[in-house]
Amino acid sequence: MISIEEAKKILLENSVQSSNLEMIIGSFSKQLFIVDRTYVLRTSMNSMETEVGKLQRVKGLPAVPKIVRTGTYSSKGLSIFFILATLIPGRDLFDEIDRLTLAQAIEIGYKVSEFLNKLHMIEGSTYDIGHYVPTVPMYKGTWRMGHVEYWRRLR
């Protein structure tokens, strides 16, 4: 884990000014920094090459983070790997879902379906993106077949 001060140094070294930097813990206990509600700075003591590859593979889709910069930062003799990406605007659906009208819920359903159709058209050698990964780690099939395998294992 790195401090807010170290995160600010990473940003400054990469010519990113920040007036509001907030540290949160994301999925899989990953440390994240929200930069001015515009960017997300992800840091790790391990290479983030796999994560960069995943983001690059989906970069053509709407509503996915876009990589701004990647690199390493040296602190106390250690290399800290980082990804600076755009923050997807909006509020978390799980926080808002109970307040949606039926028409809004239907519209979101259509948009999610449209997004998933586009996502499943991307070819990949492994099924490695999403909350399915712990259930079917490094599944060696298409993303669509990864979904099928995920549901099969849940039954």
Side-chain angles (χ1 to χ4, degrees), residues 40 79 122:
V40 175
S79 289
I122 296 173

Side-chain angles (χ1 to χ4, degrees), residues 18-91:
S18 166
S19 60
N20 185 11
L21 187 62
E22 173 189 0
M23 194 270 289
I24 63 170
I25 302 298
S27 60
F28 303 106
S29 301
K30 295 269 188 187
Q31 184 181 33
L32 304 170
F33 296 91
I34 307 300
V35 183
D36 295 334
R37 306 304 273 150
T38 303
Y39 302 109
V40 175
L41 175 65
R42 294 179 57 196
T43 61
S44 177
M45 300 303 282
N46 302 311
S47 171
M48 299 179 81
E49 187 177 323
T50 301
E51 288 82 0
V52 168
K54 290 175 187 180
L55 288 172
Q56 287 175 335
R57 207 169 17 178
V58 298
K59 70 182 179 186
L61 295 176
V64 298
K66 309 297 187 228
I67 295 175
V68 175
R69 220 171 247 111
T70 64
T72 57
Y73 169 77
S74 220
S75 174
K76 301 171 192 155
L78 298 173
S79 289
I80 298 168
F81 298 85
F82 71 87
I83 299 172
L84 180 65
T86 55
L87 179 68
I88 300 172
R91 295 181 304 273

Side-chain angles (χ1 to χ4, degrees), residues 54-55 57-66 88 93 106-123 127 129-132 143-144 147:
K54 290 175 187 180
L55 288 172
R57 207 169 17 178
V58 298
K59 70 182 179 186
L61 295 176
V64 298
K66 309 297 187 228
I88 300 172
L93 177 61
I106 290 170
E107 179 66 20
I108 287 173
Y110 281 120
K111 287 184 179 192
V112 168
S113 173
E114 204 173 282
F115 174 83
L116 289 174
N117 281 335
K118 290 176 184 174
L119 178 66
H120 289 155
M121 292 171 78
I122 296 173
E123 293 187 19
Y127 185 75
I129 295 177
H131 64 278
Y132 308 102
W143 286 6
R144 186 178 306 272
H147 277 287

